[in-house]
Amino acid sequence: MKKVIVIGNGMVGYKFCEKLAAHPDFEAFQVVVFGEEPRPAYDRVHLSEYFSDKTADQLLLAGRDWYASKGIALHTSELVTAIDLEAKTVTTHKQTVYEYDNLILATGSAPFVPPIKGADKKGVFVYRTIEDLDAMKAYAAKLKSGAKAAVLGGGLLGLEAANAAKELGLEAHVIEFAPRLMPRQLDDAASAMLQAKIESLGIGIHLSKATQQIAGDEAIARMEFADDTHLDVDMLIISAGIRPRDELARACGIQVGARGGIVVNEKMKTSDPHVFAIGEVALYNDGIYGLVAPGYEMADVAVHQLTDGSKSMAASIDMSTQLKLIGTEVASFGDPFIENEEVAAITYVNKRSGIYKRINVARDGSRLYGGILVGDSSDYNSLFQIYYNAMKLPQNPEDLILGSRGGDSNILGSVLDLPDTAQICSCESVSKGSICKSIEEGTCSDLKDVIKCTKATTGCGGCKPMVVDLVNETLKALGKEVKDTVCEHFKYNRQELYDLVKIKQIKTFEEALARLGSGCGCEICKPVMASIFSSVYMDTANKQPVIQDSNDRFLANIQRNGTYSVVPRVAGGEISPEKLIVLGEVAKKYNLYTKITGGQRIDLFGARLHELPLIWKELIDAGFESGHAYGKSLRTVKSCVGSTWCRYGMHESVSFAIEIENRYRGLRSPHKLKGGVSGCIRECAEARGKDFGLIAVDGGWNLYVCGNGGATPKHAILLAEQLDDATCIKYLDRFLMFYIRTAGPLVRTAPWLEKLDGGIEYLKQVVIEDSLGIAEELETEMQGLVNKYECEWKQAIEDPKLASRFKHFVNSDDVDDTVEFVSLRDQKMPRPW
């Protein structure tokens, strides 16, 4: 048997083992793996999730039992100290010697710590391993409330580290030597947009800062900069780049680059023909590649070289990437900066929504060369495919980032139009052909099979939307039914469950499980069924509280410190002085933080669970009712002042907005609903950014549908023109009920329309022309729901049984005294974690 030793058990070292173990000739190899860390390889890409919802075991790529099952000898906490190329042996710190036929160097990289005076003080950390994160946690726990943490480095890892510091309850700051964040991936405008988003979350950004000294006695107390400024900090995380771990190769005489890294050729071979280098330690084409996808590709090449010798690295490595930084979507692909006589940049900037998009296209419109996306990277997969496969651009290339003015928002067309060689999953190097063939040949029958078979989506996960589309379109092309079932307990999609509940007159979740499903249900199907019962019977969340999401269960939005926010309905944004005074008095009495929302309402934050019924009673006595801010239901219908006050107003938008909001109040749906009514085409109510919107024009109202704001904003599309009030209501009834009946769980109106066969033209046929013959039925159904409306808050305070659930403890009337607040301007906020 051939003896293969792998030095390094990081993500790339593990991937080499996985790919070799899957090869038909694996039985011809005896594999030994050495890792310095105490645990097997884990997912460093999602390392920051260790601070939130993942344990060390959950981050593992494979447990020890996997290595054992494959016959791979795994040595953790064992450091290889020397390589003897002539004898073909390695020696560990335990003075144990192992022989090899082939050696794989997957030693990765180490954090670069700049030569700054004081970098060895207590409270200075690097951000690399789980042990580093454990040390940061332990140190942060000893710091006083309000302590500050700085991160040295404004690149990908630096921003992740800043978020980690914030998760630890520290005031976070980012220090970057360059004049912008992520200088290798983003241009000035994109960086500025990202900076604004990050600063809005309370993280300080300090650019063009050269750190000269870390001051303090034994522990860090201050960072001093070359421009004679300083920043007082209690903790520092260094994330200033990486350096390849090439010391073993350097010591044994293997060729390394002038600036570090083990020199390899296209076969991943080093200067010694029996030694390969892969991952961040490998210097290929004078470059070190810090992304996981190139490392996985190198691992695959090394496996092929040990077996059939059929594969080599491409001449150039694509560094396109898509990720989410501190809740902000960021992506870059191809050459993000190129702009010359032959290439022009097209940019879209929306400062209100925090979105920046740039694409670099040939001036003759023939080719896409690269781009940058900040705030909304939903089109990344499509743009990457167009760039990577040199696909033809639309007649107006700006449509790639603005959307087609004809209403078709799919910039790529059908995913089946991609060439079979198109790389869908960069991390695992999975092509479109591999995915489609796995279904066409019968190897896989659904998405779960495809993921298991090809490992697509198991890396960063960014390719999942395109993989889902490919699987569904391939199944459809084969004439097979594509069924998006709710979960394992119900073998139906939401639309089918809706119809079954209505036809069979099923009233409870237990009855639905008994007649339509199996098992006990889960956190996926319970809220879906709750939504369906509300949509069919206008059941309030009080009817079956145990199957509701937590917010619906308590009729309020839970906040990060366990308190709740209360949002009464203010229809159309119109409120009397008397009601304003009541809101102020209630907020003052219960010491609530108050804020005017973007939907023209007043949000009251910081209510404890036992206070909710007390607050609701005072509000209801003053004429308020639930605003359903917690539900997947109608939130608001925003309005301008219209012709009542505005000299430009063409129609009375406030009265109509109030009428519409009161009509659809409490209406539960697959996702939240927002509306707007603008009294003229100046659009002050932003009606085209809503799920439905009305804009006053000569001759009536123009009705727009299926828009939304948020992370992926979409303009609503014109459904009908110059309508009178009654026709508007009629079309809205039909549209909303059709959406409620047919949309999937948590699918908002904009993506629902995108997936609807026939798009807006089909929707017009259904709603306006009654092509399905169900218009009257939809109107009757909506009117029935309107007639059954009840205020959930009123139910809760009038029924002692319902009110009993608003207690902190089941067996005691004690209240939770662990909730802490700190001052914020003239109000309060939760104490930072």
Side-chain angles (χ1 to χ4, degrees):
M1 296 178 74
K2 289 184 180 179
K3 296 178 181 178
V4 177
I5 288 180
V6 182
I7 303 178
N9 189 224
M11 295 183 73
V12 174
Y14 163 75
K15 183 57 61 175
F16 170 84
C17 295
E18 181 192 80
K19 288 185 176 291
L20 184 59
H23 197 278
D25 298 335
F26 176 59
E27 291 184 359
F29 296 91
Q30 179 185 332
V31 183
V32 180
V33 181
F34 293 96
E36 295 178 21
E37 294 186 56
R39 57 180 57 82
Y42 54 89
D43 185 357
R44 291 189 202 275
V45 173
H46 298 100
L47 185 60
S48 60
E49 294 179 20
Y50 184 62
F51 282 109
S52 51
D53 61 348
K54 284 197 175 179
T55 65
D57 285 346
Q58 287 174 323
L59 286 170
L60 289 179
L61 296 174
R64 295 180 186 275
D65 54 345
W66 179 85
Y67 294 87
S69 70
K70 303 296 181 183
I72 298 174
L74 174 64
H75 298 264
T76 54
S77 299
E78 190 163 358
L79 175 67
V80 174
T81 56
I83 301 170
D84 187 328
L85 297 179
E86 191 171 336
K88 294 171 69 173
T89 62
V90 301
T91 304
T92 75
H93 78 286
K94 297 179 180 180
Q95 300 305 311
T96 308
V97 178
Y98 295 83
E99 296 180 348
Y100 67 81
D101 293 304
N102 289 106
L103 181 63
I104 310 296
L105 298 177
T107 47
S109 62
F112 169 63
V113 179
I116 301 171
K117 185 180 178 181
D120 57 347
K121 292 185 184 298
K122 289 182 180 178
V124 179
F125 301 88
V126 293
Y127 190 82
R128 185 65 176 168
T129 68
I130 287 178
E131 284 67 40
D132 293 332
L133 271 58
D134 282 335
M136 289 165 54
K137 277 184 176 181
Y139 193 84
K142 297 175 184 177
L143 298 176
K144 295 179 181 178
S145 175
K148 294 181 182 178
V151 176
L152 188 62
L156 297 175
L157 281 177
L159 296 178
E160 288 279 1
N163 191 47
K166 191 170 181 288
E167 291 282 341
L168 290 172
L170 304 173
E171 181 184 317
H173 294 262
V174 175
I175 316 297
E176 171 56 46
F177 178 77
R180 66 176 187 259
L181 296 174
M182 295 180 63
R184 293 185 179 182
Q185 291 88 9
L186 304 182
D187 60 15
D188 289 339
S191 179
M193 191 69 76
L194 177 62
Q195 179 178 343
K197 284 221 168 195
I198 293 174
E199 286 177 331
S200 71
L201 299 174
I203 295 176
I205 304 294
H206 310 265
L207 303 175
S208 301
K209 292 291 184 182
T211 306
Q212 280 198 322
Q213 179 175 310
I214 296 170
D217 294 331
E218 291 186 2
I220 182 174
R222 187 173 64 256
M223 296 179 69
E224 297 177 352
F225 307 116
D227 60 2
D228 293 327
T229 62
H230 72 274
L231 180 68
D232 293 331
V233 294
D234 305 283
M235 180 172 161
L236 173 63
I237 305 167
I238 296 178
S239 180
I242 58 173
R243 292 292 182 268
R245 290 282 306 275
D246 58 11
E247 59 271 20
L248 278 174
R250 192 182 297 270
C252 73
I254 290 175
Q255 183 185 357
V256 297
R259 300 180 62 184
I262 302 172
V263 177
V264 295
N265 62 15
E266 74 281 0
K267 298 179 180 180
M268 293 294 102
K269 285 188 176 182
T270 68
S271 56
D272 184 295
H274 303 288
V275 181
F276 298 78
I278 57 177
E280 291 175 342
V281 74
L283 182 68
Y284 176 63
N285 282 351
D286 293 322
I288 297 290
Y289 305 93
L291 297 179
V292 68
Y296 281 3
E297 183 71 4
M298 291 176 181
D300 195 36
V301 168
V303 167
H304 278 273
Q305 290 302 319
L306 290 182
T307 51
D308 52 33
S310 63
K311 188 171 184 178
S312 298
M313 287 295 290
S316 62
I317 291 179
D318 184 77
M319 294 295 284
S320 302
T321 183
Q322 178 190 28
L323 60 157
K324 202 164 193 174
L325 288 170
I326 320 181
T328 301
E329 295 179 11
V330 179
S332 67
F333 61 95
D335 189 334
F337 305 120
I338 185 173
E339 189 172 3
N340 53 42
E341 292 181 358
E342 297 180 355
V343 181
I346 301 173
T347 60
Y348 165 77
V349 181
N350 185 333
K351 292 185 177 180
R352 179 177 171 273
S353 300
I355 292 172
Y356 174 84
K357 298 182 180 184
R358 167 179 172 166
I359 54 172
N360 306 321
V361 301
R363 290 185 184 271
D364 62 5
S366 63
R367 177 83 190 270
L368 176 63
Y369 285 96
I372 298 169
L373 305 170
V374 173
D376 174 18
S377 64
S378 57
D379 290 330
Y380 168 79
N381 284 317
S382 297
L383 289 169
F384 175 79
Q385 293 301 334
I386 293 170
Y387 145 73
Y388 195 74
N389 297 289
M391 296 171 68
K392 184 180 178 182
L393 304 189
Q395 184 175 358
N396 299 309
E398 62 270 22
D399 289 353
L400 294 174
I401 53 175
L402 296 178
S404 171
R405 265 45 63 88
D408 181 6
S409 60
N410 191 340
I411 63 174
L412 186 63
S414 171
V415 286
L416 293 182
D417 292 338
L418 288 169
D420 284 348
T421 55
Q423 189 180 69
I424 304 300
C425 177
S426 298
C427 295
E428 293 289 343
S429 190
V430 182
S431 68
K432 175 229 173 182
S434 299
I435 292 170
C436 296
K437 193 176 292 185
S438 70
I439 298 171
E440 291 165 352
E441 294 179 350
T443 308
C444 302
S445 58
D446 56 21
L447 176 65
K448 193 179 292 185
D449 287 348
V450 169
I451 292 173
K452 185 177 180 180
C453 177
T454 67
K455 294 197 173 292
T457 79
T458 59
C460 70
C463 64
K464 189 167 185 178
M466 187 163 281
V467 173
V468 171
D469 286 346
L470 265 178
V471 170
N472 289 344
E473 292 303 314
T474 304
L475 288 171
K476 288 179 183 177
L478 294 173
K480 296 183 179 180
E481 182 183 13
V482 177
K483 206 167 185 180
D484 186 17
T485 58
V486 168
C487 71
E488 62 186 22
H489 302 108
F490 291 96
K491 302 305 180 185
Y492 303 99
N493 60 31
R494 185 187 182 277
Q495 183 177 354
E496 290 168 333
L497 284 172
Y498 180 98
D499 292 336
L500 287 168
V501 164
K502 189 175 180 182
I503 293 167
K504 295 178 179 291
Q505 290 292 292
I506 296 172
K507 299 292 181 68
T508 68
F509 181 71
E510 290 74 16
E511 185 183 358
L513 269 178
R515 298 177 64 182
L516 306 175
S518 61
C520 300
C522 64
E523 296 309 306
I524 296 175
C525 61
K526 288 178 181 178
V528 170
M529 293 305 300
S531 171
I532 290 172
F533 290 132
S534 295
S535 297
V536 174
Y537 304 116
M538 202 58 176
D539 282 353
T540 68
N542 292 320
K543 181 80 176 288
Q544 300 180 72
V546 295
I547 64 171
Q548 308 289 338
D549 279 324
S550 57
N551 286 343
D552 293 81
R553 189 175 307 168
F554 296 108
L555 311 181
N557 286 333
I558 189 168
Q559 303 302 321
R560 67 180 176 89
N561 66 341
T563 59
Y564 294 81
S565 68
V566 176
V567 187
R569 185 171 303 286
V570 179
E574 181 183 84
I575 188 168
S576 67
E578 290 77 16
K579 284 191 173 183
L580 269 176
I581 291 169
V582 169
L583 289 178
E585 288 174 340
V586 168
K588 191 173 182 180
K589 178 177 179 179
Y590 293 95
N591 189 23
L592 304 175
Y593 170 91
T594 58
K595 186 181 186 305
I596 297 174
T597 72
Q600 297 181 328
R601 301 191 292 187
I602 295 176
D603 206 340
L604 310 173
F605 291 83
R608 298 168 191 252
L609 183 62
H610 72 283
E611 294 175 328
L612 291 176
L614 304 176
I615 294 170
W616 296 338
K617 186 175 188 314
E618 294 196 34
L619 293 175
I620 288 169
D621 287 347
F624 288 102
E625 63 183 13
S626 169
H628 293 91
Y630 46 83
K632 299 296 182 284
S633 54
L634 179 75
R635 299 290 179 86
T636 63
V637 179
K638 190 175 182 179
S639 74
C640 62
V641 294
S643 59
T644 309
W645 291 94
C646 181
R647 59 198 174 102
Y648 298 105
M650 302 180 70
H651 294 305
E652 222 289 79
S653 55
V654 182
S655 297
F656 201 31
I658 292 172
E659 179 184 348
I660 292 171
E661 184 163 346
N662 285 334
R663 178 171 182 79
Y664 301 123
R665 59 187 175 176
L667 179 70
R668 287 304 207 281
S669 55
H671 208 295
K672 63 185 175 185
L673 291 168
K674 293 184 179 182
V677 182
S678 287
C680 72
I681 58 173
R682 293 168 75 236
E683 248 284 71
C684 292
E686 301 165 325
R688 288 202 64 194
K690 305 291 190 290
D691 296 280
F692 61 86
L694 299 167
I695 300 176
V697 294
D698 283 332
W701 302 97
N702 283 359
L703 173 58
Y704 296 84
V705 295
C706 299
N708 63 250
T712 53
K714 298 287 184 184
H715 263 124
I717 301 172
L718 182 66
L719 182 72
E721 298 180 84
Q722 297 180 311
L723 306 176
D724 58 31
D725 291 11
T727 307
C728 269
I729 296 293
K730 179 169 67 174
Y731 287 174
L732 275 174
D733 282 357
R734 297 175 182 179
F735 159 67
L736 290 172
M737 280 311 309
F738 188 58
Y739 161 67
I740 289 170
R741 279 187 174 191
T742 59
L746 302 180
V747 176
R748 204 165 174 185
T749 55
W752 168 73
L753 181 62
E754 288 179 6
K755 297 292 184 182
L756 193 66
D757 286 341
I760 188 65
E761 294 305 319
Y762 174 69
L763 188 60
K764 287 179 181 178
Q765 292 168 13
V766 173
V767 171
I768 300 173
E769 301 169 20
D770 192 18
S771 60
L772 299 181
I774 60 172
E776 186 177 347
E777 182 184 337
L778 296 175
E779 292 172 36
T780 302
E781 201 167 342
M782 178 61 79
Q783 189 60 50
L785 297 177
V786 170
N787 294 341
K788 292 178 182 177
Y789 167 76
E790 288 185 79
C791 174
E792 293 172 328
W793 287 354
K794 193 169 188 293
Q795 285 181 330
I797 63 174
E798 292 180 347
D799 186 330
K801 186 177 179 182
L802 295 179
S804 66
R805 77 172 182 267
F806 297 96
K807 293 172 58 177
H808 289 281
F809 307 102
V810 174
N811 57 352
S812 170
D813 290 329
D814 291 345
V815 300
D816 183 3
D817 57 3
T818 64
V819 177
E820 294 182 273
F821 297 95
V822 294
S823 62
L824 175 69
R825 293 176 284 278
D826 294 327
Q827 300 196 70
K828 68 178 185 180
M829 64 171 280
R831 180 179 291 280
W833 290 337

